[in-house]
């Protein structure tokens, strides 16, 4: 991939796609292609085929997906499996038919079995039962990973997949019902402080462990992989994370301090905890010489400043 390559960012308005777009632009990539959902419906095969045939992208970042937190995933499983399977099937197949040089597909750490040993090594894929709260999303993401692998096998394409850990950063979704934990808690603590509320409700027991990566780090790793590594270098897929996790209780305390809220935290045990722990093994990534550079506290402070603005 060079500075004049024609690069399609699918999902450029989402958290990951917009971070990739910002970083590519700041590095001088000049021929970026992107379309809003209104302009190009990626679940529509004909529209996707017409777009690829007319625009002929050389490189594709497939960051478009239906995403959401634990509640959105468990409430709308049909939408999660349908939309994600359609987007993947349409874009990956059109990339093959139109001779795309390289495609990077974004998976998720929820593809791993719920009770897999920690940290999660790439080879644990499909070795056990999935977590029920996000099974539909995980199945769709596993299908995308395997689709890339099988197209490489049969057609000699160069489609790579990355498995990010839980991400946070600019352009996150702050809707209390559908957001992930980071955005949800930033909003809850901020509003509680503003309205002088005596307590903040945090879902579940507070004991699940999660690993958080700032999306600018994620975009940096994705661009490096696109620039330098092929399917044969990295294998079927590669984890992208920090290699460190914290409990939801620790996260809540951290956000509470950053926001400057002085009330109480109440844990609502009627809400699901989800997977007990999701910590990625990042040995493979570190071997390529890449490490996350944004510390969690700094990253949350940055995001909180952006949120207030
Ligand atoms: O981020 P989150 O929604 O998704 O929740 P997952 C992480 C943990 O935070 C769970 C707890 O244990 C939640 O119960 N939590 C506490 C909260 N308070 C809140 C709150 O106000 N909102 C939310 N959302 N959570 C998702 C998957 O799993 O991770 C997706 O559903 C995707 O498929 C994503 O893979 C990265 O980490 O449990």
């Amino acid at each position: 991939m060079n500075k004049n390559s024609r690069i399609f960012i699918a999902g450029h308005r989402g958290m990951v796609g917009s971070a990739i777009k910002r970083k590519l632009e700041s590095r001088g990539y000049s021929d970026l292609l992107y379309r809003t959902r209104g302009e190009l419906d990626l679940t529509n095969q004909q529209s996707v085929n017409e777009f690829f045939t007319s625009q002929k992208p050389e490189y594709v970042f497939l960051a478009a997906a239906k995403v959401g937190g634990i509640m959105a995933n468990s409430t709308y499983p049909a939408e999660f499996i349908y939309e994600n399977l359609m987007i993947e099937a349409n874009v990956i197949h059109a990339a093959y038919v139109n001779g795309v040089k390289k495609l990077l597909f974004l998976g998720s750490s929820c593809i791993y079995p719920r009770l897999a040993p920690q940290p999660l090594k790439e080879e644990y894929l499909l070795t056990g039962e999935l977590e029920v709260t996000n099974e539909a999303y995980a199945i769709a993401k596993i299908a995308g990973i395997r689709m890339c692998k099988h197209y490489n096998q049969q057609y000699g394409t160069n489609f790579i997949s990355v498995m990010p850990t839980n991400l946070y950063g600019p352009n996150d979704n702050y809707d209390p019902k559908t957001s992930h934990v980071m955005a949800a808690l930033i909003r809850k603590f901020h509003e509680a402080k503003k309205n002088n509320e005596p307590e903040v409700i945090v879902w579940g027991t507070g004991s699940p462990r999660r690993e958080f990566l700032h999306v600018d780090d994620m975009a940096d790793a994705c661009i490096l992989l696109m620039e330098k590594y092929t399917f044969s270098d990295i294998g079927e897929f590669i984890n992208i994370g920090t290699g460190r996790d914290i409990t939801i209780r620790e996260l809540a305390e951290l956000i509470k301090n950053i926001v400057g809220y002085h009330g109480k935290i109440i844990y609502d045990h009627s809400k699901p905890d989800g997977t007990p722990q999701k910590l990625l093994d990042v040995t493979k990534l570190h071997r390529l010489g890449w490490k996350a550079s944004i510390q969690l506290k700094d990253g949350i402070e940055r995001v909180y400043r952006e949120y207030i603005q």
Side-chain angles (χ1 to χ4, degrees):
M1 191 168 78
N2 62 51
K3 300 283 147 93
N4 302 320
S5 301
R6 200 160 170 74
I7 304 166
F8 174 42
I9 307 163
H12 74 286
R13 297 225 276 206
M15 185 167 62
V16 180
S18 61
I20 291 173
K21 179 170 171 280
R22 278 195 306 277
K23 218 167 257 293
L24 287 172
E25 282 169 347
S26 74
R27 295 194 184 161
Y29 285 90
S30 56
D31 196 3
L32 305 183
L33 277 171
Y34 38 86
R35 294 288 184 274
T36 63
R37 190 172 306 191
E39 291 163 343
L40 172 61
D41 175 4
L42 294 173
T43 66
N44 182 310
Q45 188 183 31
Q46 195 184 342
S47 307
V48 173
N49 288 345
E50 282 167 10
F51 171 79
F52 272 79
T53 315
S54 62
Q55 299 301 318
K56 289 283 178 207
E58 296 172 275
Y59 294 85
V60 175
F61 287 93
L62 181 37
K66 180 170 179 67
V67 299
I70 193 164
M71 213 46 98
N73 268 270
S74 37
T75 315
Y76 311 110
E79 291 173 38
F80 274 80
I81 197 161
Y82 173 74
E83 287 184 34
N84 287 309
L85 283 174
M86 293 302 283
I87 293 171
E88 294 159 11
N90 291 340
V91 174
I92 294 169
H93 188 71
Y96 153 62
V97 170
N98 290 279
V100 163
K101 290 181 184 155
K102 194 167 174 182
L103 174 145
L104 182 142
F105 172 66
L106 268 114
S108 163
S109 59
C110 69
I111 57 150
Y112 289 111
R114 171 183 159 80
L115 298 176
Q118 306 282 327
L120 297 156
K121 292 183 194 298
E122 284 87 351
E123 65 254 34
Y124 298 162
L125 178 69
L126 293 174
T127 55
E129 286 291 320
L130 296 165
E131 157 65 26
V132 285
T133 55
N134 54 35
E135 193 199 76
Y137 180 69
I139 295 269
K141 287 293 178 185
I142 293 170
I145 297 165
R146 282 285 145 103
M147 204 172 157
C148 290
K149 174 182 167 181
H150 295 309
Y151 274 54
N152 293 338
Q153 269 176 355
Q154 188 179 338
Y155 302 133
T157 47
N158 186 13
F159 296 166
I160 59 176
S161 298
V162 294
M163 281 332 102
T165 190
N166 287 40
L167 300 170
Y168 69 100
N171 295 328
D172 206 345
N173 160 24
Y174 285 89
D175 180 309
K177 290 203 187 76
T178 57
S179 60
H180 289 98
V181 63
M182 181 72 82
L185 295 189
I186 288 175
R187 178 169 177 170
K188 282 184 184 177
F189 283 109
H190 176 74
E191 288 184 353
K193 182 185 166 190
K194 208 173 70 185
N195 304 326
N196 278 319
E197 286 160 17
E199 58 191 38
V200 161
I201 310 280
V202 172
W203 295 351
T205 59
S207 60
R209 302 188 69 87
R210 294 288 184 275
E211 177 189 8
F212 296 95
L213 179 74
H214 192 285
V215 73
D216 285 352
D217 271 336
M218 176 65 194
D220 192 62
C222 288
I223 294 170
L224 173 81
L225 289 161
M226 256 323 216
E227 285 173 337
K228 299 220 170 105
Y229 298 97
T230 64
F231 174 67
S232 40
D233 299 323
I234 65 162
E236 187 177 11
F237 64 90
I238 184 164
N239 289 338
I240 304 188
T242 62
R244 278 185 302 274
D245 62 355
I246 62 169
T247 63
I248 295 302
R249 186 178 293 270
E250 287 164 334
L251 178 73
E253 295 290 344
L254 186 57
I255 298 175
K256 179 182 169 185
N257 287 335
I258 289 171
V259 169
Y261 172 70
H262 300 295
K264 267 178 31 184
I265 299 179
I266 308 286
Y267 290 90
D268 176 359
H269 290 222
S270 71
K271 294 285 193 305
D273 268 346
T275 313
Q277 186 178 18
K278 264 194 292 186
L279 174 64
L280 294 178
D281 185 310
V282 284
T283 310
K284 205 160 142 181
L285 185 64
H286 286 183
R287 267 200 226 113
L288 303 181
W290 189 92
K291 276 201 169 113
S293 67
I294 303 171
Q295 298 301 314
L296 184 60
K297 185 165 173 286
D298 299 341
I300 301 176
E301 284 170 352
R302 255 167 73 171
V303 167
Y304 183 50
R305 280 196 298 274
E306 285 150 6
Y307 174 77
I308 294 170
Q309 277 165 15

